[in-house]
Amino acid sequence: MSQSAPKRKLRIRILCVFIAFASLLSLLGVRLVFLQIIDGSELHKKAVEQQTRDSLVASHRGAIYDRNKKMLAQSSVAHTITANPNEIQKAKKNILEIAATLAPILEMDVNDIAALLEKKTNHVTIKRRVEDDVANAVRELELTGIYLQEDAKRYYPYGHFASHILGFVGYDNQGLGGIEMVYEDVLKGEPGRIIALKNALDTDMPFKDETRIDPENGTNVVLTIDEVVQHFTEKHLEEAYYEEKVLSGACAIVTDVKTGEVLAMATKSDFDLNEPFTLPEDIEAQLSEIDDDDERTTARSNALQKMWRNKAVVDSYEPGSCFKIITGCMALEEGLITPETPFFCSGSKKVENRTINCSHHEGHGAQTFADAVKNSCNPAFIDVGLLIGKEKFKEYYKAFGFMDVTGFDLPGEASGIFYSDANYNTVELATASFGQGPVVTPLQLMAAVGAVANGGKLMKPYLVKELIDNDGNVLKKTEPTVVRQVISQKTSEQMCAMLENTVANGTGQNAYIKGYRVAGKTGTSEKVPRGSNKYISSFIAFAPANDPKIACLVVLDEPSNGQYYGGAIAAPVVGKILEDTLRYMGVEPQYTEEERQNLEVFVPDVKGLSIENAGKNLRNEGLTYRIVGNGSTVLNQTPKTGSTLPTGSVVILYTEENVAKATIVPDVRNLSLTEAQARLVQHGLNMNITGAGATGNSSNLTVANSQYPLPSAQVEEGTVVEVEFRYLDVD
């Protein structure tokens, strides 16, 4: 055997070992390429997740302000209580003890907390948005596996105020309604992060190495809403909502007619923005009676959607006689009529095979068009509609914006509906001319009547004035937008004058305000199906009529307290809102001569004066007086100093102690102005006139609707009884 044979075998063995090692190294190299290059990024991500705890830091949503920078919605610091169940279980801590310790602090059920801590996971949320005192109490316990994360809580300082405008946020701080939802991207900001190292036991490293990335807070939104005007609107609308027992909701809008800015928008009923998922107690009681869980859940969802529904934007309705403003403008603009054009009303009008009645069943007789507006005469407006013709009427209907959405800032806006060409005949034209048939939204009607008031410019209504940062710098500003010129300045002025006469002398007298020239129109429409005795009552007005600044619309859906004419129950609400708003805005009254003679004056302080000097001071203010007692010096007086009285009222002067006489307030409700005044005088009382009685048009159709003090109250002689009068000949 040659010596080369063993050497050859050794070389073969060495080669095999080399090949084996080379193959192994190649495989390791290939594996390394996969780990470092192909799967590297994914493995790195998993390593980071395994070795760190990454938690979000909530950003603060931008604030929402009214036009004068009053805070309407803001975010405050809150905390979220979280837990790492795996950490608690690995540390062999007693879960029930931890749950029992946390339960009273967090006001939660022990079993609910324990169930969370028993989960096989690294993270659970126990409770969100807890206040500082609760968070500090939890922090002081230093419980294993229990952590606090920085969070943000949305807070609405006025509760129910402007609820349908502002909207609200959900559990994850996301906007779910109103401005909060529409401007979500602007308001929400960007969340921050806290990254902390973890060990192999899934607990934090002892040296607490953390990296914090601060959140970016959201941008602030400034609305066109005026908080004061909004309060006026909500107050008076709510009074009417309950007084008239409105079954299907009510809404009101106040706008600047020159810019399209919405100064106030209210819907009743409303809800608490801080508790948006809490239904009224009566609704909850009804839901509790539903046995089926799925059915109850569906009913709850429907009830919440109804509660959150913004009636002023989302609902559409037949505007009734308020639409006569638009019909009149069409005919005036086309030169088909003038305010002096004669018409005749017999109490009804036959169109093809249908007889359409006037609300004044005995008819208005011969009248001008201006009279027809004042009287809200259906037959006259049917004649006007027929003069306009089907095509031109529909053309103007579209031009006034009723067939499109306005592009408003809030969600769910409906568009108006008109007849299809196949269903648009002479009868439909006749009924549409006085607001029956086509449907519009309150917002569309406000925009259209705003154009009538401002000289013919259809303005786009808007709710957001500007976006600002935390230093007050304006990032974006909304400018008024003219959609189109729909009528001329002349037509606008003619209609304004006729609508002012409607409030001063016609069916709109219940919106009359002494010293302020109000132009307005009543509206009453019967809901479909006809004959259901369900009505929508409305009134729209603007002021001052000779230089319009603001407009107001009130809609009451299904009043059920006996009266349903818009001129009777919606007009007084508009009058109160306009009066409060005009005074707040500093608009100077423009009194007529007749109004000046009946102005209210402040009662001067004449206590301590001689009878002669006291009488002189009172006469200088246009007041009369009566002396009670045999002294020569005034010791007391009724009404008290600072009270207001109509010119010519009586002040009682007491010249002896304890001689004041008491009297019982009589019931003057349903009496005419003359009768009410006479009855109060008999009882030694003064009367302050509000409502339609202030027009000076004393007749049996103007009667006392309410009074304060109430009947049978015992008061001193000379006390002022405030009596609100209503005009009855309305539609």
Side-chain angles (χ1 to χ4, degrees):
M1 183 176 180
S2 69
Q3 294 180 348
S4 61
K7 292 180 180 179
R8 190 182 304 113
K9 290 180 180 180
L10 180 61
R11 284 196 296 269
I12 292 172
R13 288 173 183 167
I14 292 171
L15 180 62
C16 289
V17 171
F18 175 78
I19 292 172
F21 272 102
S23 299
L24 181 61
L25 288 173
S26 297
L27 290 173
L28 288 174
V30 172
R31 180 60 176 161
L32 189 61
V33 169
F34 269 92
L35 291 175
Q36 291 290 339
I37 299 174
I38 298 176
D39 294 335
S41 59
E42 182 66 25
L43 291 171
H44 180 267
K45 179 180 176 182
K46 289 181 178 180
V48 170
E49 290 176 352
Q50 187 180 51
Q51 298 163 20
T52 62
R53 179 168 58 85
D54 189 352
S55 57
L56 292 178
V57 179
S59 60
H60 282 205
R61 291 177 70 84
I64 302 177
Y65 299 98
D66 89 327
R67 64 187 302 112
N68 299 312
K69 305 300 192 301
K70 291 183 180 178
M71 185 76 72
L72 302 180
Q74 64 187 108
S75 290
S76 58
V77 175
H79 305 272
T80 294
I81 311 298
T82 67
N84 185 333
N86 287 342
E87 179 181 348
I88 295 171
Q89 293 164 25
K90 287 177 182 178
K92 297 183 178 180
K93 297 295 182 180
N94 189 310
I95 289 176
L96 282 177
E97 284 185 6
I98 295 175
T101 304
L102 289 173
I105 300 173
L106 300 181
E107 297 180 349
M108 292 178 63
D109 184 84
V110 173
N111 294 327
D112 290 341
I113 298 176
L116 292 172
L117 300 183
E118 289 170 352
K119 291 185 176 182
K120 304 298 182 183
T121 182
N122 293 335
H123 178 85
V124 292
T125 298
I126 300 176
K127 189 168 185 177
R128 295 196 61 182
R129 297 178 188 168
V130 302
E131 302 293 344
D132 284 343
D133 56 342
V134 176
N136 290 334
V138 173
R139 187 180 288 111
E140 290 173 0
L141 295 173
E142 296 184 348
L143 296 171
T144 300
I146 303 299
Y147 298 96
L148 278 79
Q149 291 182 2
E150 190 175 314
D151 201 349
K153 182 178 181 179
R154 199 61 162 168
Y155 176 64
Y156 303 91
Y158 297 112
H160 290 253
F161 180 79
S163 55
H164 293 89
I165 295 173
L166 299 177
F168 54 94
V169 298
Y171 294 115
D172 293 323
N173 222 30
Q174 80 280 23
L176 293 181
I179 290 296
E180 294 277 25
M181 183 176 78
V182 176
Y183 281 80
E184 169 71 7
D185 291 342
V186 172
L187 288 164
K188 68 178 180 180
E190 291 295 331
R193 298 167 64 193
I194 295 178
I195 303 171
L197 296 177
K198 294 195 300 184
N199 59 26
L201 296 176
D202 204 25
T203 62
D204 286 354
M205 293 288 195
F207 43 84
K208 294 287 184 182
D209 186 17
E210 287 187 350
T211 300
R212 178 186 173 91
I213 302 173
D214 290 328
E216 295 181 14
N217 294 333
T219 300
N220 305 312
V221 175
V222 180
L223 303 180
T224 59
I225 293 296
D226 188 306
E227 179 257 347
V228 176
V229 179
Q230 181 75 19
H231 272 300
F232 291 152
T233 305
E234 292 194 9
K235 172 192 171 185
H236 295 306
L237 183 66
E238 185 170 59
E239 289 172 352
Y241 176 76
Y242 287 110
E243 182 178 340
E244 303 303 335
K245 299 179 181 178
V246 179
L247 300 179
S248 296
C251 68
I253 310 174
V254 180
T255 62
D256 182 324
V257 298
K258 294 181 179 178
T259 65
E261 292 174 289
V262 174
L263 303 179
M265 177 180 283
T267 293
K268 298 293 175 183
S269 58
D270 52 27
F271 58 96
D272 186 348
L273 289 168
N274 295 305
E275 299 289 342
F277 296 95
T278 301
L279 290 164
E281 290 183 2
D282 58 330
I283 303 296
E284 288 286 6
Q286 294 173 19
L287 293 174
S288 66
E289 295 176 359
I290 301 176
D291 295 328
D292 184 80
D293 290 344
D294 291 339
E295 186 180 343
R296 186 168 58 253
T297 299
T298 301
R300 171 177 289 279
S301 177
N302 292 338
L304 286 171
Q305 293 299 327
K306 183 178 179 181
M307 183 175 73
W308 298 334
R309 187 180 182 89
N310 187 344
K311 196 172 186 67
V313 178
V314 176
D315 283 9
S316 54
Y317 72 112
E318 291 182 354
S321 292
C322 289
F323 194 82
K324 291 173 181 174
I325 300 172
I326 308 303
T327 302
C329 286
M330 297 179 190
L332 290 168
E333 186 67 16
E334 289 297 307
L336 301 171
I337 60 170
T338 69
E340 292 75 34
T341 299
F343 290 89
F344 185 84
C345 171
S346 63
S348 64
K349 178 79 175 179
K350 188 167 185 179
V351 180
E352 293 187 343
N353 61 347
R354 181 174 171 183
T355 299
I356 302 172
N357 294 319
C358 183
S359 60
H360 201 270
H361 295 297
E362 57 271 30
H364 294 104
Q367 58 184 341
T368 65
F369 178 67
D371 292 330
V373 175
K374 179 187 72 173
N375 298 328
S376 194
C377 177
N378 285 351
F381 273 87
I382 292 173
D383 288 338
V384 171
L386 296 177
L387 283 173
I388 297 168
K390 288 168 51 180
E391 296 305 319
K392 189 62 69 173
F393 189 96
K394 189 172 183 178
E395 181 182 316
Y396 271 102
Y397 187 87
K398 184 174 182 179
F400 271 103
F402 292 116
M403 296 181 75
D404 303 303
V405 295
T406 66
F408 194 54
D409 303 273
L410 294 181
E413 182 185 0
S415 60
I417 301 174
F418 197 71
Y419 296 109
S420 65
D421 290 341
N423 295 320
Y424 183 33
N425 301 303
T426 304
V427 171
E428 286 71 32
L429 172 62
T431 58
S433 67
F434 58 83
Q436 181 179 296
V439 297
V440 304
T441 67
L443 189 64
Q444 287 176 323
L445 186 62
M446 281 297 289
V449 174
V452 176
N454 70 20
K457 298 180 181 67
L458 181 66
M459 305 299 297
K460 178 182 177 180
Y462 63 100
L463 189 59
V464 173
K465 186 178 181 183
E466 56 194 17
L467 306 179
I468 62 173
D469 62 20
N470 289 330
D471 295 322
N473 300 310
V474 177
L475 306 178
K476 184 179 180 181
K477 185 179 180 65
T478 307
E479 298 294 340
T481 302
V482 179
V483 179
R484 67 184 70 89
Q485 184 88 25
V486 287
I487 57 172
S488 65
Q489 180 72 35
K490 179 182 178 182
T491 298
S492 169
E493 291 174 355
Q494 288 177 321
M495 184 54 69
C496 286
M498 288 186 282
L499 293 175
E500 181 183 4
N501 188 43
T502 299
V503 173
N505 301 298
T507 56
Q509 290 183 47
N510 290 319
Y512 179 85
I513 310 169
K514 188 184 298 184
Y516 291 104
R517 298 173 60 177
V518 178
K521 188 71 193 72
T522 57
T524 307
S525 57
E526 187 176 13
K527 298 177 75 170
V528 178
R530 311 294 185 199
S532 63
N533 290 322
K534 296 180 179 180
Y535 297 88
I536 296 179
S537 309
S538 61
F539 191 84
I540 192 164
F542 50 86
N546 58 324
D547 181 21
K549 290 179 170 55
I550 59 170
C552 178
L553 168 66
V554 166
V555 179
L556 307 176
D557 192 345
E558 291 187 35
S560 64
N561 199 30
Q563 180 61 274
Y564 59 83
Y565 284 119
I569 60 177
V573 186
V574 172
K576 292 171 184 176
I577 294 171
L578 286 178
E579 182 172 17
D580 285 347
T581 302
L582 291 167
R583 293 190 189 281
Y584 162 71
M585 293 173 65
V587 177
E588 290 294 326
Q590 305 171 59
Y591 295 108
T592 64
E593 285 304 314
E594 184 177 0
E595 287 173 337
R596 288 185 185 280
Q597 294 173 8
N598 294 285
L599 284 179
E600 296 172 6
V601 296
F602 285 100
V603 178
D605 185 359
V606 296
K607 294 191 299 293
L609 299 182
S610 66
I611 291 175
E612 182 180 355
N613 288 333
K616 182 178 179 181
N617 287 356
L618 292 170
R619 286 193 298 272
N620 288 340
E621 297 295 333
L623 299 169
T624 61
Y625 60 94
R626 182 160 60 87
I627 302 168
V628 176
N630 298 314
S632 59
T633 302
V634 177
L635 302 180
N636 210 338
Q637 67 181 78
T638 302
K640 305 298 182 185
T641 305
S643 302
T644 57
L645 287 174
T647 304
S649 297
V650 179
V651 177
I652 310 296
L653 304 179
Y654 302 103
T655 61
E656 295 179 10
E657 296 288 356
N658 302 319
V659 293
K661 291 184 178 180
T663 186
I664 301 298
V665 178
D667 188 351
V668 299
R669 291 171 298 184
N670 297 316
L671 298 182
S672 69
L673 192 150
T674 304
E675 293 169 337
Q677 195 159 32
R679 184 166 295 183
L680 290 172
V681 168
Q682 288 174 358
H683 289 74
L685 298 168
N686 289 300
M687 180 169 69
N688 184 23
I689 303 168
T690 64
T695 62
N697 300 324
S698 178
S699 74
N700 290 331
L701 293 174
T702 303
V703 301
N705 179 69
S706 62
Q707 65 178 87
Y708 186 81
L710 296 174
S712 301
Q714 184 171 304
V715 298
E716 288 185 15
E717 282 190 340
T719 296
V720 181
V721 178
E722 184 172 295
V723 184
E724 182 200 8
F725 286 85
R726 296 276 177 95
Y727 183 63
L728 301 181
D729 190 12
V730 295
D731 75 338

